[in-house]
Structures are given as structure tokens and as C-alpha cells.
Amino acid sequence: MSSRLTKQKDAAPSEGTGPSRDEIFTALSNRRRRNVIAYLREHGNDARVRDIAEQLAAWENELEVNEVTYKQRKRVYTALHQSHLPKLAENGFIAYEPDRGIVSLTEQSRQLEVYLEVVSENEILWSEYYVGLGVACGLLAGAAAIGTVPFADVSGYAYAVLFAVLFAVSGLIHRTVTRRNRVG
């Protein structure tokens, strides 16, 4: 019975809190919709549908924007106009003005942050960074514990302070990067 209540809770929107998790997952289940959000985040919160379609066509075809053909852009434009943008607008993630061809992020789009972790090809996940930092600190402490020179010459208090500073600085940097990468 509790699993049924959990499923119903996830499916039903909470009063005053916006879309349900199911609505969020449905909206983000398509790569083009995720790419629309990414494009808007990168290009200043609002854009013309034509520009979005052109960039998405370039990403999908692994081309530069100036290499996208009319047919490739039109195919993406049509799908955005008929399906993807209305779906995102229906759940309040974007404001879509089809007559003007303008799309913009809304405050509601901030709820997508939890579900979209943006990591470029050259970056590592923060979870991987913290695991690596923990392993490095553990190896350093282990080397000191078994008397490896020069690590054994440093006091345990110095290591404790070093580890605390490393994790505090990492946490502050993580927080700053996360705030900068927020949708909306």
C-alpha cells in the first residue's frame, strides 16, 4: 500500500510546488527538449526558435552551425514547433510565443537542475572529484601512519587541518560552480 501511495504522490503535482516528478521526467525524456534547455542556459535565457533549431540541428548532425542545411534545420524546427516546445511550455519550464517565435526560460525551469547535471567532455563529475580527493587524503594519511619519509615527519594535527581545508575549499568551489550552472 505504501508503494502505491508513493507512486501516486510522485505522479500528482504538489499544490503550489509546480510539476510532478513524472511531468519533469516526461519533459526531459527527449534529447531535443534537454538541448533546448541547455541552449537557453548558454545563450541568455531567451532565444528565437529559428536559432535554437539551427543549433540543435548542428549538434545532432555533428556540424558547425554554418554547415547546417535548410532541410536539417527545417526538420528540427518543425519538431520543436509542433511537439517539444509546447510540451516544455505546458509544464511551465519555458514561455513559448509561437506567433513571435520566441522561447524563454521560466522560474519553473530551476526545478530541472536536480535532474540535469551538466558536465562537459573535459570535466569530471563532482562525485568523482570527491572520491578522488578522499582517496588521495587516505593515501597520504596511510603513508604517514606507516612511517614513510617525509610524510611521517608531519603531525597528525597538520594533516587534519590540511584535509579540512582541502574539503572546505572544494565545497566552496563546488557551490560556486553549481550556482553558476543553474538553469534560469
Side-chain angles (χ1 to χ4, degrees), residues 51-103:
D51 296 334
I52 297 170
E54 192 170 57
Q55 181 62 67
L56 268 59
W59 287 340
E60 290 174 10
N61 293 288
E62 297 179 2
L63 300 170
E64 294 296 320
V65 172
N66 60 350
E67 298 172 332
V68 173
T69 66
Y70 171 80
K71 186 176 180 180
Q72 290 167 327
R73 186 179 68 241
K74 181 69 173 170
R75 184 172 41 246
V76 174
Y77 180 90
T78 301
L80 289 175
H81 181 69
Q82 292 179 350
S83 174
H84 303 301
L85 297 176
K87 184 69 158 178
L88 289 169
E90 175 184 314
N91 290 310
F93 300 124
I94 63 167
Y96 175 41
E97 301 175 47
D99 296 339
R100 292 183 53 215
I102 302 292
V103 180

Side-chain angles (χ1 to χ4, degrees), residues 58-161:
W59 287 340
E60 290 174 10
N61 293 288
E62 297 179 2
L63 300 170
E64 294 296 320
V65 172
N66 60 350
E67 298 172 332
V68 173
T69 66
Y70 171 80
K71 186 176 180 180
Q72 290 167 327
R73 186 179 68 241
K74 181 69 173 170
R75 184 172 41 246
V76 174
Y77 180 90
T78 301
L80 289 175
H81 181 69
Q82 292 179 350
S83 174
H84 303 301
L85 297 176
K87 184 69 158 178
L88 289 169
E90 175 184 314
N91 290 310
F93 300 124
I94 63 167
Y96 175 41
E97 301 175 47
D99 296 339
R100 292 183 53 215
I102 302 292
V103 180
S104 58
L105 290 175
T106 64
E107 279 297 311
Q108 196 82 359
S109 69
R110 289 182 179 265
Q111 294 186 19
L112 303 177
E113 290 175 35
V114 176
Y115 304 95
L116 296 172
E117 182 172 0
V118 180
V119 179
S120 72
E121 291 179 20
N122 299 327
E123 293 182 35
I124 63 169
L125 297 172
W126 279 105
S127 57
E128 293 171 353
Y129 170 80
Y130 285 114
V131 168
L133 184 60
V135 168
C137 290
L139 291 172
L140 186 59
I146 62 172
T148 306
V149 177
F151 305 112
D153 296 335
V154 180
S155 77
Y157 292 115
Y159 281 120
V161 169

